[in-house]
């Protein structure tokens, strides 16, 4: 029995929920399914399934192995189709992780367009600001924004992201306009919690020197959209990424401030596990995102318009 056949039987067994049903689907004897699973577990040196007479459940090792096996079989089917003269369509499941705010506003529209272009693609989309473990959770691509930590993962830069200092017209009318970054120390700060120093904002002066200003925190939140809503309600001044603030600025709900200074710069990245063979669906999706966002994405165009209008 080949290793690939053992994998196929294991995946079918998990999906069927019983050896009897798996055997029926594969047109083999039930005893053959049980025997192949035992051989696989002996080869791997670990138990993949907890089995009783009435039920079975994946062990921790079994869950990790099952996720990788499903991906292997999907990649194999996709490779067959890619070289087939009958079809050049992508297929299989893309498992994507993205931060919530960026995902809702920009990644979801990109994902839906990609799925319309490739009808046989399925997507499993995890939208959460937590930092996922790509390998352990079987994620194909994670969208990450900011400075990347050193790791064994591969990364491709997709688009730039600038920070914008902004407040509502009502807040500015009541509290005045800051004329320099130092003036922010006299204003109410709406600060992102997932930073080492939420109330310490980084900027660069006209000479390119890196500086910081400490802003009193009135509201701290781990979600940028929450801070944006608070700013629109007139609760204070924020310094948030352009992909969060740009639409409110375009609608006149927020007013950008201190445009003579360059605030914290970062980028959007597609991060994926290292592999000698990147599956066609992953490679094509990353290319698609790079072309869709580019060096002048929608959220940065808003900032350039604000600067140009001064």
């Amino acid at each position: 029995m080949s290793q690939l056949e053992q994998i196929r039987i294991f995946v079918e067994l998990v999906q069927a929920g019983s050896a009897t049903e798996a055997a029926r689907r594969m047109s083999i004897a039930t005893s053959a399914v049980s025997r192949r699973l035992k051989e696989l577990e002996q080869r791997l040196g670990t138990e993949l399934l907890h089995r009783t007479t009435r039920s079975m459940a994946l062990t921790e090792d079994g869950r990790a192995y099952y996720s990788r096996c499903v991906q292997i079989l999907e990649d194999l089917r996709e490779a067959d189709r890619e070289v087939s003269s009958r079809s050049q369509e992508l297929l299989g499941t893309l498992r994507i992780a993205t931060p919530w705010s960026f995902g809702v506003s920009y990644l979801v529209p990109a994902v839906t367009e990609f799925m319309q272009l490739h009808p046989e693609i399925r997507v499993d989309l995890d939208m959460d600001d937590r930092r996922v473990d790509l390998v352990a959770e079987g994620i194909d691509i994670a969208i990450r924004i900011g400075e990347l930590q050193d790791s064994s993962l591969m990364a491709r830069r997709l688009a730039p992201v600038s920070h914008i200092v902004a407040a509502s017209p009502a807040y500015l009318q009541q509290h005045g306009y800051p004329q320099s970054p130092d003036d922010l120390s006299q204003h109410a700060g709406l600060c992102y919690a997932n930073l080492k120093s939420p109330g310490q904002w980084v900027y660069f002066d006209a000479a390119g020197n890196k500086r910081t200003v400490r802003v009193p925190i009135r509201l701290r939140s781990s979600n940028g959209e929450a801070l944006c809503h608070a700013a629109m309600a007139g609760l204070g001044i924020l310094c948030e990424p352009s992909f969060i603030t740009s639409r409110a600025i375009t609608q006149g709900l927020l007013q950008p401030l201190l445009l003579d200074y360059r605030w914290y710069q970062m980028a959007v990245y597609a991060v994926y596990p290292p592999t000698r063979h990147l599956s066609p669906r992953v490679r094509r999706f990353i290319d698609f995102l790079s072309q869709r966002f580019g060096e002048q994405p929608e959220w940065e165009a808003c900032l350039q318009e604000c600067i140009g209008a001064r």
Side-chain angles (χ1 to χ4, degrees):
M1 173 64 64
S2 71
Q3 181 177 347
L4 184 58
E5 280 304 306
Q6 288 180 340
I7 288 174
R8 284 196 174 107
I9 290 176
F10 171 62
V11 169
E12 191 66 54
L13 174 58
V14 173
Q15 293 177 347
S18 72
T20 302
E21 178 60 18
R24 186 191 67 79
R25 294 182 184 184
M26 302 185 74
S27 300
I28 60 177
T30 302
S31 58
V33 173
S34 300
R35 184 166 60 253
R36 300 313 177 202
L37 175 63
K38 184 177 180 180
E39 291 172 354
L40 177 60
E41 290 178 325
Q42 288 176 341
R43 180 171 63 81
L44 296 174
T46 188
E47 186 181 30
L48 300 175
L49 287 167
H50 291 305
R51 299 180 293 281
T52 68
T53 55
R54 295 185 177 181
S55 66
M56 67 177 192
L58 286 166
T59 64
E60 184 176 349
D61 287 340
R63 283 193 299 271
Y65 190 66
Y66 172 74
S67 177
R68 297 299 295 271
C69 287
V70 169
Q71 184 174 340
I72 288 169
L73 294 178
E74 287 187 349
D75 287 346
L76 180 60
R77 286 193 293 269
E78 189 169 6
D80 288 345
R81 290 178 64 87
E82 189 175 26
V83 299
S84 170
S85 60
R86 297 190 301 273
S87 174
Q88 294 299 317
E89 271 298 307
L90 299 178
L91 80 162
T93 300
L94 270 172
R95 297 173 179 85
I96 307 167
T98 181
W100 173 262
S101 296
F102 185 81
V104 169
S105 297
Y106 295 102
L107 189 68
V108 168
V111 167
T112 55
E113 182 179 341
F114 187 76
M115 294 178 73
Q116 289 169 341
L117 293 172
H118 305 284
E120 295 191 52
I121 283 289
R122 299 182 300 279
V123 171
D124 185 345
L125 185 58
D126 182 342
M127 297 176 62
D128 198 315
D129 287 343
R130 69 187 178 89
R131 186 169 289 266
V132 301
D133 185 326
L134 274 66
V135 175
E137 299 184 41
I139 300 294
D140 295 312
I141 307 168
I143 301 300
R144 291 189 176 164
I145 302 169
E147 296 180 1
L148 296 181
Q149 299 177 354
D150 292 336
S151 74
S152 61
L153 300 174
M154 307 297 291
R156 178 170 169 183
R157 185 180 183 275
L158 299 176
V161 175
S162 301
H163 272 61
I164 302 176
V165 174
S168 72
Y171 175 89
L172 295 170
Q173 184 176 4
Q174 181 178 357
H175 298 280
Y177 288 70
Q179 300 301 310
S180 74
D182 287 341
D183 292 345
L184 294 174
S185 63
Q186 305 302 314
H187 285 269
L190 309 175
C191 302
Y192 187 57
N194 291 345
L195 298 174
K196 291 181 179 178
S197 301
Q200 188 167 297
W201 296 357
V202 177
Y203 69 96
F204 295 85
D205 62 21
N209 299 310
K210 183 178 179 180
R211 301 187 181 280
T212 61
V213 57
R214 186 165 294 279
V215 184
I217 299 176
R218 185 179 185 193
L219 172 65
R220 181 168 58 183
S221 173
S222 61
N223 181 267
E225 292 290 343
L227 297 174
C228 192
H229 282 288
M232 289 187 289
L235 297 183
I237 295 180
L238 54 66
C239 181
E240 282 293 294
S242 48
F243 66 80
I244 291 177
T245 57
S246 60
R247 292 176 179 173
I249 290 172
T250 300
Q251 295 167 12
L253 301 173
L254 292 178
Q255 183 171 336
L257 305 167
L258 302 171
L259 292 172
D260 289 332
Y261 301 88
R262 183 166 60 90
W263 297 84
Y264 183 57
Q265 305 288 299
M266 54 188 188
V268 180
Y269 295 91
V271 179
Y272 51 94
T275 177
R276 289 178 296 178
H277 172 68
L278 192 63
S279 77
R281 63 179 176 274
V282 173
R283 183 179 63 251
R284 294 270 290 277
F285 182 63
I286 293 174
D287 289 343
F288 174 81
L289 292 181
S290 179
Q291 293 171 6
R292 181 183 174 96
F293 297 149
E295 286 302 310
Q296 188 68 359
E298 176 187 341
W299 56 86
E300 288 294 292
C302 168
L303 178 59
Q304 296 306 315
E305 289 174 8
C306 292
I307 295 174
R310 297 178 68 238

